[in-house]
């Protein structure tokens, strides 16, 4: 079973602070994605990383895929209340269209 | 990308009854997925639904409890049968589309089920 460990489970910070969420596995993934889910909605895809060492930026969000494609991180700079939500990482299993999801990180940004 | 319409968005049901959740996709897809999620927690895959064949259930989930229909390439239903309070959860349908280099998932807005 391929597991994705995500940390921290919960993060409560003040507006303007920086934070990093980690996603780790002992398995290699062909790609890894990050999703954000707000209450009452389904998860929404933020980014996909596929190459070891890849770094992608989405405004104040920076995503990194580990060199060995076993881990990833999400860094948010100057967090805003609108960043509040559940962040999920997901790894693609083989080529069978299946994704394995991490346990999730609940982020609350207080104004 | 894909746009998925899921309904109902929420329901409160009596124990012992059944609820059918519908999921409509704006494009034809081979596989659709059904997940369960406790609020603020990760997703647990219930089953994978292929058009024209029986759904494939994950460990801990059985067809008698969660029958799934997949009549065509754009629609699926999940029924939660003989409900108990332990079935209270968020249920999500999803499709996985092969983008240029990776598979990406798209979700319906979820059905929040409360069993009383």
């Amino acid at each position: 079973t391929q597991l994705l460990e995500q940390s921290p489970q919960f993060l409560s910070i003040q507006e303007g602070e920086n934070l990093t969420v980690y996603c780790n596995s002992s398995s290699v993934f062909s790609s890894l994605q990050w999703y954000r889910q707000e209450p009452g909605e389904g998860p929404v895809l933020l980014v996909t990383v596929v190459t070891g060492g890849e770094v992608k930026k989405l405004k104040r969000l920076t995503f990194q895929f580990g060199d060995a494609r076993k881990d990833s991180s999400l860094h948010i700079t100057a967090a805003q209340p609108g960043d509040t939500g559940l962040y999920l990482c997901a790894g693609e299993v083989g080529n069978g269209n299946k994704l394995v999801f991490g346990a999730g990180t609940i982020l609350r940004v207080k104004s | 990308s894909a746009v998925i319409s899921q309904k109902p968005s929420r329901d409160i049901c009596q124990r012992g009854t059944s609820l059918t959740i519908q999921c409509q996709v704006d494009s034809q897809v081979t596989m659709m997925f059904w997940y369960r999620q406790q609020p603020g927690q990760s997703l647990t895959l219930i089953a994978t639904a292929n058009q024209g064949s029986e759904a494939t259930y994950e460990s801990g989930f059985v067809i008698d409890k969660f029958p799934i229909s997949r009549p065509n390439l754009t629609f699926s239903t999940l029924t939660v049968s003989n409900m108990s309070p332990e079935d209270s959860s968020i249920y999500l349908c999803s499709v996985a589309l092969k983008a240029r280099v990776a598979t990406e998932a798209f979700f319906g807005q979820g059905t929040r089920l409360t069993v009383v």
Side-chain angles (χ1 to χ4, degrees), chain A residues 9 30-31 33 35 37 39-45 47-50 86 88 92 94-99 101-104 106, chain B residues 10 30-31 33 35 37 39-43 45 48 56 58 90 92 96-98 101-110 112:
Chain A
Q9 286 186 305
S30 53
S31 72
Q33 291 124 47
Y35 296 80
Q37 183 179 21
E41 301 292 331
V44 174
L45 179 66
V47 78
T48 300
V49 286
V50 296
L86 173 67
L88 294 158
E92 182 175 1
N95 59 359
N97 284 4
K98 268 196 175 177
L99 296 175
F101 284 86
I106 297 173
Chain B
R10 58 176 60 229
T30 304
M31 289 192 287
F33 302 89
Y35 290 90
Q37 181 185 36
Q41 296 186 24
S42 190
L43 309 176
L45 181 64
T48 303
T56 302
E58 298 298 308
I90 299 166
L92 291 152
L97 301 182
K98 194 71 175 179
V101 292
T103 296
E104 297 174 345
F106 299 90
F107 293 85
Q109 73 267 40
R112 182 180 284 262

Side-chain angles (χ1 to χ4, degrees), chain A residues 72-111:
Chain A
S72 181
S73 64
L74 157 61
H75 183 78
I76 301 179
T77 304
Q80 303 291 313
D83 296 326
T84 293
L86 173 67
Y87 288 80
L88 294 158
C89 63
E92 182 175 1
V93 178
N95 59 359
N97 284 4
K98 268 196 175 177
L99 296 175
V100 174
F101 284 86
T105 296
I106 297 173
L107 171 64
R108 187 172 75 169
V109 182
K110 296 174 285 187
S111 57

